[in-house]
């Protein structure tokens, strides 16, 4: 796949024009986090809200954190505050949290489908106080009852067919967004999308669903207060 890295030494206008050419050409768009959040986290959340609003089906693999579409406001606040401290960026936590909560309204719209995969470690990671984590795990039980959601949990003792790898989201099989510590990588190349679809399906084959997934969430929930 031909790759073009966008964003270094450009004005915002130049960057936007170059990014458009990159995506139209079916190549890779590298979007460094430090640039993405230079005005805070709210603009990024607003962009994601727009992207999700225009989609019908999402497939996501998130191995290390409760997915944004499932997060409570308090859990999301802990996440945004920790990332703002890491990158020394503006603290617009309240606005970012509100935008993330608004994005979750997509789950209640007719015809929408979220196929979400998480690793059990994402449930266990204590990114907030025991009270925050307890409420967050209770929230997952509520989400599991939505017709739009199919949640698979890859258990600690499950047989992995691939390494855990990075988090990524597939949007209607037309775009894949990969996240790492440095940047988001937006790819609309057909081969990249096909590869990540295979990765997603491979992890999905290691996951448990329904009552088995609920048992894992229940076990983690009981451990929160020791």
């Amino acid at each position: 796949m031909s790759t073009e890295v966008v964003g270094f030494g450009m004005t915002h206008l130049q960057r936007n024009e170059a990014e458009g050419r990159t995506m139209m050409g079916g190549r890779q768009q590298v979007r460094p986090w430090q640039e993405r959040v230079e005005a805070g986290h709210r603009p990024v959340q607003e962009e994601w809200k727009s992207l999700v609003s225009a989609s019908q089906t999402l497939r996501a693999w998130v191995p290390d954190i409760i997915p944004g579409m499932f997060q409570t406001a308090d859990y999301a606040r802990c996440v945004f505050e920790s990332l703002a401290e890491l990158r020394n960026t503006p603290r617009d936590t309240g606005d970012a949290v509100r935008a993330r909560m608004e994005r979750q309204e997509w789950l209640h719209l007719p015809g929408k489908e979220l196929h979400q995969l998480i690793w059990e470690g994402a449930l266990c990671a204590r990114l907030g106080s025991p009270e925050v984590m307890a409420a967050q795990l209770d929230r997952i039980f509520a989400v599991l009852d939505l017709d739009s959601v199919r949640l698979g949990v890859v258990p600690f003792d499950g047989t992995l067919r691939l390494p855990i790898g990075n988090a990524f989201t597939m949007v209607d099989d037309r775009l894949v967004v990969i996240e790492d510590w440095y940047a988001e990588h937006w790819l609309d190349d057909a081969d990249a999308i096909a590869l990540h679809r295979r990765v997603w399906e491979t992890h999905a084959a290691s996951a448990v669903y329904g009552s088995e997934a609920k048992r894992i969430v229940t076990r983690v929930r009981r451990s929160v207060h020791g």
Side-chain angles (χ1 to χ4, degrees), residues 4 9 13 32 42 46 71 100 107 130 135 163 166 170 173-174 176 201 204 211 223:
E4 178 179 344
L13 178 59
R42 184 194 61 78
E46 293 285 358
Q71 289 177 10
R100 176 160 286 183
L107 295 173
N166 288 95
M170 298 182 62
D173 284 332
R174 61 183 170 82
V176 60
E201 291 173 347
S211 60
S223 72

Side-chain angles (χ1 to χ4, degrees), residues 29-195:
Q29 182 186 135
V30 179
R31 312 181 83 181
W33 283 114
Q34 200 65 37
E35 295 180 9
R36 295 272 282 145
V37 297
E38 62 185 359
H41 284 90
R42 184 194 61 78
V44 176
Q45 294 306 304
E46 293 285 358
E47 182 178 25
W48 266 98
K49 185 173 68 173
S50 296
L51 179 66
V52 168
S53 294
S55 69
Q56 191 75 21
T57 302
L58 301 176
R59 289 180 176 81
W61 163 241
V62 180
D64 56 353
I65 192 173
I66 303 298
M69 294 291 274
F70 294 171
Q71 289 177 10
T72 65
D74 286 338
Y75 184 95
R77 186 171 294 106
C78 293
V79 173
F80 287 129
E81 288 177 349
S82 65
L83 293 175
E85 182 175 357
L86 172 69
R87 298 190 174 97
N88 193 28
T89 54
R91 304 297 181 96
D92 63 343
T93 305
D95 289 340
V97 169
R98 279 189 289 274
R100 176 160 286 183
M101 296 302 103
E102 290 170 1
R103 192 202 323 166
Q104 295 176 2
E105 295 171 4
W106 181 90
L107 295 173
H108 301 277
L109 299 176
K112 304 297 187 180
E113 296 181 0
L114 171 60
H115 301 268
Q116 179 71 62
L117 296 176
I118 62 175
W119 190 43
E120 184 176 344
L123 302 172
C124 298
R126 302 290 180 91
L127 293 178
S129 68
E131 292 74 22
V132 168
M133 294 307 303
Q136 176 60 75
L137 292 164
D138 289 342
R139 164 67 176 160
I140 291 178
F141 283 118
V143 170
L144 283 173
D145 290 332
L146 296 176
D147 292 337
S148 59
V149 173
R150 177 167 168 77
L151 174 65
V153 180
V154 178
F156 282 138
D157 59 359
T159 300
L160 291 173
R161 295 163 172 80
L162 285 173
I164 292 295
N166 288 95
F168 64 87
T169 299
M170 298 182 62
V171 182
D172 290 333
D173 284 332
R174 61 183 170 82
L175 173 70
V176 60
V177 182
I178 308 162
E179 298 183 44
D180 60 32
W181 282 108
Y182 177 71
E184 281 182 340
H185 305 263
W186 291 43
L187 302 91
D188 67 353
D189 178 89
D191 289 341
I193 292 170
L195 172 63

